[in-house]
Amino acid sequence: GQPDASVAVERHTSAATALIGYAERVDASLLVVGTHGRSGMRRLLLGSVAEACVASASCPVLTVPEGAEPTFAPNAPILVAVDFSARSRAALAAAHGLADWTGAPIELVHVIRHSGPYPDIVPGMLSVSDIDPAEAEAVRERLWRFAAQGPDPAPDAVHAGLGSPGRVIAALAAERGAGAIVIGTHGRAGLAWIVGSVAASTLRRSPCPVLTLTEAERLPRPVHSALA
């Protein structure tokens, strides 16, 4: 059966601090937060509860865009952002936890940043093969090898992208009709987080929920108890 639900009312000058503190007190497996997906100066001045939770929460965080209809289904792939680090390994393990429950296919994506000082100059470009097909194929082969090093089944597809990672990952999610994006994060606070990260850039643009976690985190498997 379904687990018992409870309601808690927290008082604090910071919504993010209250959410993070409560999650720590109850030893939460997952924190789910809605996001407006705003960008630009308004975001810089007002901040983001969702991004603050992603940066500092001690558990994985699932952010859900305003107006989004979460779709965990076999025809909505789970897109895993891979930079070949320990964070990516944790993200892939978490994605398989979701797939165990939903039956959704898993697709991996690695994004090669644009060179030069203006990485967003071609924000709509999704495929590195437009520049160098051999490099695109090398990236895809590395993604297959990365997946094969773990205990789980092979992904259903891999993608090589070129550009600003947050933009490319979000655009690919829209193109593929993804049900969720899973991405690792440093979980850094302070100036390094304010400047931005791939995870923060992705969640503010994503058309679907984004699950973020650090290299030390794993979702429980099966994961439906955490998402129920």
Side-chain angles (χ1 to χ4, degrees):
Q2 294 293 325
D4 294 335
S6 63
V7 176
V9 178
E10 297 287 307
R11 295 182 182 276
H12 201 283
T13 56
S14 165
T17 300
L19 287 170
I20 293 166
Y22 180 78
E24 290 177 349
R25 288 200 304 277
V26 301
D27 193 23
S29 298
L30 181 70
L31 177 61
V32 182
V33 186
T35 175
H36 294 289
R38 293 190 300 259
S39 60
M41 185 59 68
R42 188 180 180 195
R43 180 178 215 90
L44 180 63
L45 294 175
L46 297 180
S48 163
V49 172
E51 288 181 29
C53 290
V54 167
S56 301
S58 58
C59 63
V61 179
L62 182 70
T63 57
V64 182
E66 184 178 29
E69 293 290 339
T71 303
F72 294 107
N75 62 342
I78 298 167
L79 192 63
V80 185
V82 173
D83 65 2
F84 305 106
S85 66
R87 294 183 302 278
S88 297
R89 185 67 61 196
L92 183 55
H96 279 288
L98 284 173
D100 288 347
W101 171 48
T102 63
I106 290 177
E107 301 184 3
L108 310 187
V109 56
H110 175 74
V111 181
I112 299 174
R113 294 176 181 271
H114 285 300
S115 60
Y118 305 107
D120 290 337
I121 196 168
V122 193
M125 186 176 294
L126 292 181
S127 176
V128 71
S129 61
D130 293 337
I131 303 297
D132 186 344
E135 186 173 9
E137 183 58 28
V139 169
R140 287 191 289 268
E141 289 180 0
R142 188 179 180 191
L143 285 168
W144 288 117
R145 291 196 303 271
F146 177 81
Q149 292 169 1
D152 295 296
D156 292 83
V158 298
H159 306 276
L162 175 69
S164 173
R167 289 181 181 272
V168 172
I169 293 167
L172 182 62
E175 177 186 293
R176 302 293 297 169
I181 297 169
V182 184
I183 188 168
T185 176
H186 292 287
R188 297 172 302 191
L191 182 61
W193 167 70
I194 293 172
V195 170
S197 69
V198 173
S201 176
T202 301
L203 73 88
R204 75 180 61 137
R205 294 180 172 90
S206 175
C208 62
V210 179
L211 175 64
T212 55
L213 66 167
T214 72
E215 59 264 43
E217 294 168 342
R218 297 289 191 278
L219 284 182
R221 298 178 69 175
V223 75
H224 57 79
S225 60
L227 292 175

